[in-house]
Amino acid sequence: MSEDEGPGTAGLHTAASVEPLPHPEPHRAVVLVVGVVATVAFVVLRFAVALGGHEPLPADLWWHDLMVATLGEVGIIAAWVPAIVGGTLGMIVIGILLVAVFLWKRRRWDAVTLASAIIVVVAIGAPMAAVIARVRPEDSLAESVATSFPSGHTAVATTMAVTLGLLLRRWYVWLAGGLWVLYMMWSRTYLHAHWLSDVVAGMLEGVAVATLVWSAVQAYRIRRATPSSPEAV
């Protein structure tokens, strides 16, 4: 502490540091490994779908038949909730509100991380679906666009859930996020908008984007906070 800084000044500095510091190196390493594993798993699933001629896999047909057999009015109403809330407009509104809350709380790096993750997953999702050009179930109740792999709804939901879990570091955030992702995956298949492998791919994409973006931002923060020379100390 310099001569010009007393205990009271140090307390002000501590109180002003609202945003948490980057995680320890071991934690960042685990998150990065999860991101790489999710990316590899997505690529494997992508090749499995391609090798099958982009036709539904056996697990897809089994799950689709189960969804058809359990279809009902109450289920359809329940399935439309995440379909609407997790749609393009809904996610834009929710994303903007969450970023605004982080900025209001003076957690600008958290705001940057969340905004970046959402932008990345949206930017790669639609072009990827167009390139892969897998046809969704013919009896879809929710979508008219033909392409379905991966599920954009699931990818965005997973990206937001994982990113918020990493940023807020609370068990109930992880639990709520996990339940929301499962709810979304069920919804998209219950409405016959996607095959099971589509939503699994969307989940893997979301995990990969969230963890890799978070890791990149954390690495940048630590690099900025690390003195590059003795004079910077």
Side-chain angles (χ1 to χ4, degrees), residues 171-191:
W171 67 268
Y172 51 82
V173 176
W174 284 107
L175 177 61
L179 291 175
W180 173 249
V181 171
L182 291 175
Y183 186 21
M184 181 67 76
M185 294 173 72
W186 167 81
S187 165
R188 302 309 287 160
T189 54
Y190 191 80
L191 295 174

Side-chain angles (χ1 to χ4, degrees), residues 200-212:
V200 172
M203 181 268 295
L204 292 173
E205 178 192 352
V207 171
V209 169
T211 52
L212 295 180

Side-chain angles (χ1 to χ4, degrees), residues 22-82:
H23 285 246
E25 185 66 29
H27 184 87
R28 292 197 303 121
V30 170
V31 175
L32 183 59
V33 169
V34 171
V36 172
V37 171
T39 302
V40 173
F42 177 89
V43 172
V44 171
L45 181 56
R46 163 71 183 97
F47 275 111
V49 170
L51 291 175
H54 293 168
E55 294 296 322
L57 304 175
D60 294 330
L61 296 175
W62 167 77
W63 185 258
H64 184 72
D65 289 342
L66 179 61
M67 294 297 96
V68 171
T70 57
L71 195 65
E73 292 184 5
V74 175
I76 291 176
I77 294 173
W80 268 108
V81 173

Side-chain angles (χ1 to χ4, degrees), residues 78-89:
W80 268 108
V81 173
I84 295 174
V85 175
T88 303
L89 181 59

Side-chain angles (χ1 to χ4, degrees), residues 43-174:
V43 172
V44 171
L45 181 56
R46 163 71 183 97
F47 275 111
V49 170
L51 291 175
H54 293 168
E55 294 296 322
L57 304 175
D60 294 330
L61 296 175
W62 167 77
W63 185 258
H64 184 72
D65 289 342
L66 179 61
M67 294 297 96
V68 171
T70 57
L71 195 65
E73 292 184 5
V74 175
I76 291 176
I77 294 173
W80 268 108
V81 173
I84 295 174
V85 175
T88 303
L89 181 59
M91 285 296 94
I92 290 176
V93 173
I94 294 174
I96 291 175
L97 289 176
L98 289 173
V99 169
V101 169
F102 279 132
L103 291 174
W104 177 60
K105 292 288 187 178
R106 298 180 182 178
R107 300 178 62 157
R108 62 187 181 94
W109 284 112
D110 289 352
V112 169
T113 303
L114 181 60
S116 300
I118 295 174
I119 291 172
V120 170
V121 76
V122 171
I124 67 177
M128 186 186 306
V131 170
I132 296 174
R134 188 190 201 187
V135 179
R136 69 176 74 251
E138 294 180 354
D139 53 352
S140 173
L141 302 176
E143 301 290 343
S144 58
V145 179
T147 54
S148 69
F149 185 98
S151 166
H153 281 67
T154 305
V156 175
T158 305
T159 298
M160 294 186 68
V162 174
T163 302
L164 290 174
L166 291 170
L167 296 177
L168 300 178
R169 313 170 199 172
R170 296 290 186 269
W171 67 268
Y172 51 82
V173 176
W174 284 107

